[in-house]
Amino acid sequence: MDTKAPAYAATVAALREEVQRRLTFTVGKDNASASPRDWFIATALATRDRVVSSWLASTKRNYEEDRRRVYYLSLEFLVGRLLIDALTNLGLTDPMRDALAELGVDLDRLRALEPDAALGNGGLGRLAACFMDSMATLEIAAMGYGIRYDHGLFCQTIKDGWQHEYPEDWLSFGNPWQFPRPEITYDVCFGGHVESARLTDGMLAHVWRPGETIVAVAYDTPVVGWRGRHVNTLRLWSARAPDPLRLDAFNQGDHVGALTEQVRAEAISKVLYPSDSTPAGQELRLRQEYFFASASLQDLIRRHMKQTGDIIKLADKVAIQLNDTHPAIGVAELMRLLVDVHGVEWKEAWRITQATFSYTNHTLLPEALETWPVWLMEKLLPRHMQIIYLINAMHLDGLREQGVSDAPTLSSVSLIDEHNGRHVRMGHLAFLGSHRINGVSALHSELVKETVFSDFHRLYPDRIVNKTNGVTFRRWLLEANPALSRLLAETIGPAVFDDPERLIELENFADDPSFQSRFAAAKRENKDRLAELIAQNLGVRVDPSALFDVQIKRIHEYKRQLLNVLETVALYHDIKAQPARDFVPRVKIFAGKAAASYHQAKLIIKLANDVAAVVNSDPRARGLLKVVFLPNYNVSLAETIIPAADLSEQISTAGMEASGTGNMKFALNGALTIGTLDGANVEIRERVGDDNIFIFGLTAQEVENSRTQGIDARETIAASPRLTEALRAVASGAFSPDDRHRYAQLVDTLTYYDHFLVSKDFDSYCDAQRRVDARWRDQKAWRRACILNTARVAWFSSDRTIREYAQDIWNVPV
């Protein structure tokens, strides 16, 4: 952008006045008394004002053109900070920076003040945010639906190496991006009973008499597409009691009891993923999922009726995407609304439902394919349980009519799991109620067909398709990595941000020494920034010239942070034992949250921190190895870590990671991947080339074969001296002198029940790390591989993914 052009100067002047006006008339402060947070609010509101006109125009255009609409239902939307995101998409980052500078304010300082929106946990929520960005960029008439959590998942702190959870306070100073819509409310009901009655035409009607009503209140956030041409809406629901106070009880002195109904209602939108380790926690989870599904469906039907006046045309005008099984109860709810509220005949209602819904499966893990006890469904949602029974009966009867009569198959595809207590299978409900089911990587989609939905796939062979995930390139380049973005714009032109496919032009510069030096300089700038953050937050000094080896993701046994930690221990032992050897200096960087009730994952966090404490304080390590665990991983932290990474750890047990999107962001930012052939790693290897990625370990088929032979790892461990020594050190308390038995159970589990095959892949992983060392020593070859990674990953843009959804699933023109 020409900062000397008159138009640019006029934009800067206008923004300066708009910020000043907001500071004075909305925040109520003058320049002298305004705090940095006041300036942030004023800047955010001035930016939001620039969005609103396009937002209103987009909404008007959707109605005038009678456009088919897409509704994306997700329990998570990990949108991160929105100020720089909005400015970037509007093309106003530099003008706003200059406008604020004229007011004596630093934009980067304001950026750091904005809290991350606590609306998600990991990849599922970040994917939803990327998809919302791409839907707006591609000018699809779309709306995201979710829950406005008061306190998110949790704020993670690390005390003495242990994870502690505290409520997120992201709303404590308000949210300048949201528009409260108190006039948009819906009743969401629970409990009670169902009555049957004959109508005048002789048909049997069912009337649900609920025992409890919760009010869903809408809060809207505009989602700006690239260049600001189109703006969609993220609508989040907050739960309220119909009566906020039982005045009779309050006046009788029961001041706490008078608020009981309010507290019970508002618990629904308090936190993301409340622990389900208790019956009350299970009930709250189901209440959450039904609450947002019901409110969203009522809202989109209201909009559809306003637009067309004909409920039968719903599938012609509406596509609903279920992001995982959390909103699957929406299938039964839409049937209830169509049959009970709008009087649609059952078969027609089922046709509409299947034609409207599609379902994205994100996991093969049994615990993530939700099931709910039948008794709980009957208690909370008695009418929905009736509907599910009828869907199931008609489904099974239809199969019998087609000649499917073997009991194992019918039991496998039944919506009701009759084993170990009767449960409703929500993944099955989502499958039956959708016309398309998609996996999120080529490998994952095939495994979906072969494992969790194998019998369904045999019965409905055309229903499962693949839509490999993608990421929003502009956010992970322009916002997270301005140094690399400048280099890209200077080298292949700024049009690369409009068309990521142009990244392939970087191949022409992969062997250019001058470009390699500039590419490395951009990486070093990012590493300096991360090193400073580590020093500020942890008090640990790391060398930016060392290899930054990064694993940042949700802590789970299948993601195998433990494998990384054990290799770190083995490397530490090698450094101590071989002082004359030429080791590559490394910084091992971990971040991620463990579910509050997931003891084993929290123990792995503690082990990582215990290993860090020992390694970082041992002079025998000679600065060749440092280990850090950065707390409270979120989008903003990822935006600092990912551009600085040299090595991306994608080391899950093959066949267990659906796709991953962190792997795409790292490769885009010029990090090399060390990983298994799992999830999207397979497709990344196909595009970047075997020479530019470090693959190790068992394949998904080999994992399955190995498990059938048993998961007792004693022989495998005995055959690996380095693993044996590492496990002996961990088990003996070498890293936990205050509690020498702390990790005995962890080591025993790995030894006798190595379900995630850490021991099987350990030696292969270590060999791959030594290949990493060899490549790192040849900096010309390393830089070439990094450049080729950036050049060849354009296919992993979420714009491409959304185009495929639009064309193949939603039937929406793009």
Side-chain angles (χ1 to χ4, degrees), residues 612-620:
V614 171
V615 170
N616 295 345
S617 62
D618 190 342
R620 293 172 295 177

Side-chain angles (χ1 to χ4, degrees), residues 228-241:
R229 288 187 290 262
H230 186 85
V231 181
N232 282 326
T233 301
L234 174 59
R235 175 160 289 177
L236 304 176
W237 302 105
S238 188
R240 300 287 184 267

Side-chain angles (χ1 to χ4, degrees), residues 753-767:
Y753 193 77
D754 187 12
H755 180 72
F756 301 100
L757 303 181
V758 169
S759 57
K760 283 278 189 181
D761 278 350
F762 181 81
D763 284 346
S764 177
Y765 178 55
C766 291
D767 290 343

Side-chain angles (χ1 to χ4, degrees), residues 228-283:
R229 288 187 290 262
H230 186 85
V231 181
N232 282 326
T233 301
L234 174 59
R235 175 160 289 177
L236 304 176
W237 302 105
S238 188
R240 300 287 184 267
D243 298 310
L245 180 70
R246 285 182 51 209
L247 194 57
D248 56 342
F250 190 88
N251 287 333
Q252 291 171 12
D254 187 6
H255 303 143
V256 174
L259 297 171
T260 301
E261 292 180 8
Q262 178 188 7
V263 171
R264 176 174 168 79
E266 293 182 0
I268 289 175
S269 54
K270 282 295 180 186
V271 299
L272 169 65
Y273 300 141
S275 174
D276 58 359
S277 58
T278 65
Q282 270 197 331
E283 179 174 328

